[in-house]
Amino acid sequence: MPETLIKVDLADSPYNNDMIHNRWHPDIPMVTWVKRGADFIIETYDWTGGFIKDNDSADDVRDIDLSIVHFLSGPIGVEGAEPGDLLVVDLLDVGAKPDSLWGFNGFFSKKNGGGFLTDHFPLAQKSIWDISGLYTHSRHVPGVKFAGLIHPGLIGCLPDQKLLDIWNKREIDFIATEPERVPPLANPPFGPTAHAGRAKDAVKAKVAAEGARTVPPREHGGNCDIKDLSRGSKIYFPVYVKGGGLSMGDLHFSQGDGEITFCGAIEMAGWLHIRVDVIKDGMAKYGVKNPMFKPSPITPNYNNYLIFEGISVDEWGKQHYLDVHVAYRQACLNAIEYMTKFGYSRAQAYAILGTAPVQGHISGVVDIPNACATLWLPTGIFEFDIMPNADGPVQHIKGGVDIPMSPDK
Ligand code: ZN
């Protein structure tokens, strides 16, 4: 049995666990050191550290203080890893914690986090997804069941001080361009809820004052939310500090491309079995600025899709120039509208796009003025035929069940 190097107790606060942290900073002490070639198990909290509960109310999604996230396990030092190297991580396996076989998907209130379609879904909502071996289904979203493409939403190495300073400057400068925006343009360092792992005293205060928030993906990887970074993947991470300082968390049982619902994919607590190695001077040898990876050899076998197109003309009729963000939003809205014809509420349809193995593709970015993005909805996840035909759609989903919503206070 590989050794479990980091354990989490889901009944206890992650703030009481010194092998957990929620900021990126070079001075967060390594919690353990491993040799090149070692394989081991790391347990993780869900990204909110257990704040979101398995119940039928979205009050927790509405009320969460988002400055607490993400709770990450690590950092792990790898002997021999030096700045400029590549850290090679094999995701040998990933799974849900056996004492927590469920996950959540939510939409944040526009006033507290928002999401990709926040103008259309401005209030907090939450669906619970039960995990049965390979499969998941939800009491709040009937008519769908699918196999998980399990992955860590967040994994990466610690930045060095120089890179951290670059992150903080560019994001704080960016916030200053529209400081009153709701939701905000970015999240600056925030001391009161920082968890600096094993850092003590002055170091702890420094991490709290300047530690980068974990929300965005950055040069080191971090919160990339790539569904294909699944079991069996091999990832190549840039190394900035001695030992690398690998941390991970935010496990997803399944997610659609874009993680458009933002209060996650199907968020869960779990474990990863990983192996680490090093390519010396790999950043320069291979010209690496951001991580690269080889995907899993095992993916759920959904080969039939209904594909929705979207162009960069927004829902209010405004023309945008080759804007892929606008185009993907239109593709998502088109898919939601379509699913409502089979009896789903708009919220249920949105949750399906956030959780199921939906693919998003950039199809064209040169045909001025319209970008084209496509959303690939796997038809095999539905327990009924969702393809169009001459007789028109059948209302397979009969009302009565919907995703709980909590109005703003
Ligand atoms: Zn997540």
Side-chain angles (χ1 to χ4, degrees):
M1 274 289 283
E3 194 182 350
T4 300
L5 296 183
I6 299 179
K7 290 195 166 116
V8 301
D9 175 1
L10 300 183
D12 195 12
S13 164
Y15 284 103
N16 296 332
N17 187 330
D18 71 358
M19 299 178 112
I20 303 292
H21 64 101
N22 67 0
R23 298 291 188 268
W24 292 113
H25 195 288
D27 297 345
I28 298 171
M30 304 293 176
V31 297
T32 184
W33 283 85
V34 299
K35 293 196 184 322
R36 288 174 65 169
D39 73 294
F40 48 88
I41 288 175
I42 302 295
E43 294 182 353
T44 73
Y45 283 93
D46 83 84
W47 73 303
T48 71
F51 189 84
I52 307 295
K53 304 294 187 201
D54 178 2
N55 60 29
D56 300 314
S57 163
D59 288 359
D60 46 13
V61 169
R62 177 192 63 197
D63 297 339
I64 187 171
D65 173 0
L66 285 173
S67 73
I68 65 173
V69 300
H70 298 70
F71 290 104
L72 305 179
S73 298
I76 298 155
V78 180
E79 290 176 12
E82 304 281 347
D85 295 346
L86 288 177
L87 186 66
V88 185
V89 176
D90 283 292
L91 289 182
L92 300 173
D93 205 355
V94 187
K97 269 196 66 125
D99 54 339
S100 184
L101 294 177
W102 65 279
F104 63 88
N105 173 265
F107 323 149
F108 288 124
S109 161
K110 186 173 179 181
K111 293 180 179 160
N112 185 32
F116 189 58
L117 302 181
T118 196
D119 289 329
H120 302 272
F121 299 90
L123 299 178
Q125 294 192 255
K126 180 178 81 180
S127 55
I128 298 296
W129 296 76
D130 290 313
I131 296 167
S132 313
L134 276 178
Y135 294 100
T136 186
H137 67 279
S138 171
R139 62 183 179 266
H140 300 124
V141 188
V144 285
K145 177 185 169 194
F146 45 88
L149 183 54
I150 305 173
H151 59 275
L154 201 164
I155 182 167
C157 292
L158 294 181
D160 60 11
Q161 188 70 44
K162 186 173 157 218
L163 184 59
L164 175 67
D165 292 345
I166 289 170
W167 293 351
N168 279 337
K169 177 168 181 359
R170 75 184 179 201
E171 290 176 26
I172 289 167
D173 288 353
F174 187 49
I175 291 166
T177 64
E178 198 181 343
E180 305 303 325
R181 189 177 190 275
V182 178
L185 287 173
N187 298 291
F190 183 73
T193 50
H195 184 0
R198 287 189 177 168
K200 298 253 182 317
D201 306 323
V203 177
K204 184 176 175 181
K206 189 170 194 289
V207 170
E210 58 185 36
R213 303 282 292 280
T214 57
V215 175
R218 298 189 183 89
E219 289 85 340
H220 68 147
N223 194 25
C224 289
D225 290 314
I226 302 169
K227 75 179 191 327
D228 305 287
L229 206 83
S230 186
R231 298 178 296 161
S233 298
K234 183 189 280 286
I235 322 168
Y236 303 87
F237 288 104
V239 172
Y240 311 97
V241 302
K242 188 176 162 55
L246 181 71
S247 293
M248 65 209 76
D250 185 23
L251 298 194
H252 298 159
F253 189 78
S254 178
Q255 181 208 296
D257 279 343
E259 202 196 23
I260 62 171
T261 42
F262 187 35
C263 184
I266 295 176
E267 303 292 329
M268 66 178 195
W271 53 271
L272 303 98
H273 179 191
I274 65 177
R275 181 168 56 221
V276 292
D277 207 343
V278 173
I279 296 177
K280 295 304 293 178
D281 200 25
M283 287 177 72
K285 272 182 191 161
Y286 289 103
V288 173
K289 187 173 102 176
N290 297 68
M292 314 181 289
F293 72 99
K294 183 168 86 109
S296 169
I298 300 169
T299 54
N301 190 17
Y302 296 109
N303 294 325
N304 292 317
Y305 293 87
L306 185 57
I307 300 176
F308 296 86
E309 300 181 7
I311 58 171
S312 53
V313 175
D314 70 24
E315 49 272 55
W316 303 281
K318 186 173 176 222
Q319 179 73 58
H320 296 258
Y321 182 73
L322 299 179
D323 188 324
V324 175
H325 188 270
V326 171
Y328 193 52
R329 196 168 75 228
Q330 304 318 303
C332 292
L333 289 168
N334 291 341
I336 288 170
E337 183 67 22
Y338 183 88
M339 281 189 269
T340 64
K341 304 303 182 194
F342 294 81
Y344 283 115
S345 71
R346 294 178 68 77
Q348 288 172 326
Y350 188 25
I352 289 169
L353 299 187
T355 57
V358 164
Q359 293 190 33
H361 292 246
I362 297 170
S363 301
V365 286
V366 292
D367 299 315
I368 58 169
N370 284 338
C372 179
T374 50
L375 180 129
W376 300 38
L377 183 65
T379 56
I381 66 171
F382 295 94
E383 290 168 345
F384 52 88
D385 182 6
I386 197 155
M387 293 300 289
N389 63 55
D391 296 332
V394 175
Q395 293 256 329
H396 285 278
I397 305 303
K398 314 277 188 236
V401 176
D402 202 352
I403 297 183
M405 174 193 283
S406 291
D408 288 332
K409 280 200 266 197

